[in-house]
Amino acid sequence: MDKREFARRRKKLMDMVDRGGIAIQPTAPERLRNRDVFYPYRPDSDFFYLTGFPEPEAVLVLVPDRPQGEFILFCREKDPEQETWHGRRAGLEGACEHYGADDAFPISDLDDILPGLLENKERIYYTMGRYQDFDQRLVGWLNRVTSKGRAGVHAPDQVHSVGHYVHEMRLYKSREEIKTMRRAAQISAAAHRRAMEVCRPGLYEYQIEAELLHAFMRHGSRAPAYPSIVGAGANTCILHYNENSEQLADGDLLLIDAGCELDHYASDITRTFPVNGRFTPEQRAVYDIVLQAQLAAIAKVAPGNHWNDPHQAALEAITKGLVELGILKGRWRTLLKEEAYRPYYMHRTGHWLGMDVHDVGDYKIGDEWRTLEPGMVTTVEPGLYLSPTIKGLAKRWWNIGVRIEDDVLVTAEGRDILSHGAPKTVDEIESAMQFASVA
Ligand code: GLY
Ligand code: MN
Ligand code: MN
């Protein structure tokens, strides 16, 4: 991402923080996986959104109108021995030169310097509750400033959530962000196609997962955006199944919910297809209902519509479909009002997508569902999960779990389906799988 884009974001936030305010955003801590081995590091999304700075142990401070510079970055100093063992560091000079900081200080000096920056400020912009160790330190710094009251030093007496402001900004994707998200979705769509091509009875779910990861990484993604869900047969009815350990049986469906993260942006795609490449009549009937629901919901993704409109469209199609299948009996309008679909469809139809897979941004403003606007990205992901645990469900429907999920950008004209490259209709899926078995 262009350095100027990070600078634009800081400027926008700084305009909101204004004189008398100070914004503080630490990055995420490293987390131990076992003994002395850490989980792969990923910076805090808000911190990275404002800085582009990838290292752990760093804190962004924005002080509008500070004469010596408004953008301060605390980070690790250069250290040849540490860098030989653990990798390169930008250091204080790099923080200024490559990341645009006006001033950079060693992270080890945070306790000495930060209280001074808080002096005589009126408002702190900081997200409480995300990093509790840091919350404690901030309280300590504030106490230090407060204790200087008799010396005429004024301590800030308001804390606003910086997250609230940054999340509003993150909800509207810029041209560069859309470019990255489109690429992430393309890579993931190609991975889903690849999974369809290699799939056959006898393979294990983790072997399909391996194909997905291979497809992600060879195109520059360093990690999935969330643990991949690769579930066949009964596992299609477990929404967040990710053991991915069972063998694929002839006649079963396979549900894959997997998306890569590319340059800190997520994609999130689900496709469901038959392990042997041919839908049974029951599988096809259920699949087509979910597809109709998904298409109806996607059609409602348009500027001016409300956040909830796609969900309502999906619920209507799902309820009508369940009546058509004979699984629900009665009038669809009544059944919809009674939420009779719930045992079969128990989640919502989408969520914001961005740096985080379940991205930030309010869904309601006051009591009203939010209006969709160009630049927002949402998933559209209805499903039906016909589990044998549902009382009275005829056996022919058992273990048919279907979810179809795409990543959809709201545009001025309507919508743009970023993940369109993954086969989706019954014909597209069967031909992708057939072509592969012949080839
Ligand atoms: N992959 C998680 C979700 O679809 O929300
Ligand atoms: Mn998903
Ligand atoms: Mn999703």
Side-chain angles (χ1 to χ4, degrees):
M1 192 117 356
D2 194 317
K3 263 162 63 172
R4 283 171 300 187
E5 173 135 355
F6 293 108
R8 273 198 296 274
R9 295 170 182 172
R10 288 191 299 271
K11 169 84 174 68
K12 199 163 171 194
L13 178 61
M14 213 122 52
D15 286 346
M16 296 189 260
V17 167
D18 210 359
R19 283 189 95 117
I22 174 170
I24 302 170
Q25 178 63 58
T27 194
E30 291 182 287
R31 299 273 187 213
L32 273 179
R33 181 175 187 277
N34 62 68
R35 204 162 153 78
D36 58 351
V37 176
F38 290 90
Y39 282 101
Y41 184 69
R42 185 185 186 278
D44 176 271
S45 295
D46 286 346
F47 173 86
F48 193 86
Y49 181 81
L50 295 167
T51 61
F53 193 74
E55 297 177 25
E57 296 191 90
V59 178
L60 156 97
V61 181
L62 295 178
V63 192
D65 290 335
R66 178 174 173 266
Q68 309 91 310
E70 301 178 311
F71 168 29
I72 303 167
L73 196 58
F74 289 86
C75 63
R76 302 180 304 193
E77 291 177 274
K78 286 198 79 67
D79 180 332
E81 192 185 333
Q82 283 295 318
E83 290 184 57
T84 300
W85 281 89
H86 301 297
R88 295 186 183 90
R89 297 174 172 190
L92 306 183
E93 264 177 44
C96 296
E97 197 172 319
H98 303 303
Y99 297 93
D102 298 316
D103 240 348
F105 298 113
I107 188 75
S108 51
D109 289 353
L110 197 59
D111 284 323
D112 295 329
I113 296 174
L114 210 78
L117 295 172
L118 296 176
E119 285 183 8
N120 298 319
K121 293 280 169 256
E122 288 155 28
R123 303 174 306 279
I124 301 181
Y125 292 78
Y126 172 74
T127 307
M128 277 284 176
R130 192 170 333 153
Y131 303 116
Q132 282 167 12
D133 291 351
F134 202 91
D135 292 353
Q136 295 297 321
R137 292 178 72 185
L138 182 61
V139 170
W141 298 325
L142 268 172
N143 285 338
R144 272 169 57 188
V145 182
T146 307
S147 70
K148 288 172 135 184
R150 266 175 289 170
V153 175
H154 176 77
D157 55 8
Q158 300 171 38
V159 180
H160 299 251
S161 165
V162 72
H164 172 77
Y165 294 89
V166 178
H167 297 171
E168 266 311 287
M169 290 163 61
R170 281 175 54 189
L171 180 56
Y172 299 85
K173 274 69 182 175
S174 69
R175 201 184 311 202
E176 280 215 60
E177 289 180 291
I178 290 166
K179 212 164 108 191
T180 304
M181 290 188 71
R182 189 185 302 283
R183 179 79 189 123
Q186 277 168 350
I187 293 170
S188 298
H192 278 264
R193 175 180 283 279
R194 170 90 186 138
M196 291 174 194
E197 287 170 359
V198 301
C199 185
R200 56 189 153 79
L203 287 180
Y204 283 81
E205 290 163 347
Y206 56 77
Q207 291 178 307
I208 303 293
E209 184 183 9
E211 296 290 337
L212 297 164
L213 293 178
H214 181 256
F216 292 169
M217 292 195 76
R218 64 193 289 267
H219 289 109
S221 157
R222 306 304 302 274
Y226 54 92
S228 304
I229 296 164
V230 184
N235 301 333
T236 58
C237 295
I238 303 172
L239 301 183
H240 285 168
Y241 171 83
N242 55 34
E243 287 148 273
N244 302 355
S245 56
E246 292 191 27
Q247 199 167 17
L248 308 181
D250 203 352
D252 277 351
L253 282 179
L254 177 63
L255 184 154
I256 299 180
D257 182 345
C260 72
E261 181 178 288
L262 183 74
D263 299 337
H264 304 91
Y265 285 83
S267 54
D268 184 7
I269 302 180
T270 307
R271 289 293 184 267
T272 309
F273 54 90
V275 163
N276 64 13
R278 287 270 160 219
F279 285 85
T280 66
E282 283 81 6
Q283 290 169 351
R284 175 192 277 256
V286 175
Y287 189 89
D288 275 334
I289 287 166
V290 178
L291 183 58
Q292 289 317 309
Q294 206 232 11
L295 296 175
I298 289 177
K300 293 285 183 186
V301 177
N305 282 356
H306 284 137
W307 160 257
N308 207 39
D309 291 343
H311 184 51
Q312 280 307 325
L315 290 181
E316 189 176 314
I318 292 273
T319 306
K320 283 181 182 164
L322 286 168
V323 173
E324 267 168 42
L325 296 180
I327 292 176
L328 287 182
K329 293 185 178 52
R331 292 174 35 186
W332 72 265
R333 274 184 206 284
T334 317
L335 293 164
L336 182 61
K337 217 182 289 165
E338 291 168 347
E339 303 188 353
Y341 52 82
R342 271 203 181 273
Y344 316 92
Y345 179 39
M346 61 298 277
H347 59 81
R348 292 194 58 87
T349 302
H351 51 81
W352 303 131
L353 185 72
M355 296 184 80
D356 300 330
V357 62
H358 295 160
D359 207 32
V360 294
D362 291 334
Y363 291 97
K364 274 189 170 177
I365 306 279
D367 286 339
E368 293 285 320
W369 291 110
R370 185 157 205 148
T371 303
L372 296 174
E373 294 175 63
M376 296 174 172
V377 181
T378 179
T379 66
V380 180
E381 51 176 307
L384 270 174
Y385 309 94
L386 306 183
S387 163
T389 59
I390 301 172
K391 249 183 34 205
L393 180 67
K395 197 164 178 186
R396 58 195 281 239
W397 305 115
W398 285 6
N399 298 322
I400 299 181
V402 175
R403 179 163 66 251
I404 307 172
E405 176 173 28
D406 280 301
D407 304 342
V408 184
L409 165 72
V410 184
T411 63
E413 297 75 33
R415 71 210 61 81
D416 186 352
I417 303 175
L418 304 179
S419 50
H420 66 84
K424 187 157 81 167
T425 64
V426 164
D427 285 350
E428 283 167 2
I429 290 172
E430 288 189 343
S431 91
M433 297 184 78
Q434 168 145 9
F435 180 74
S437 58
V438 172

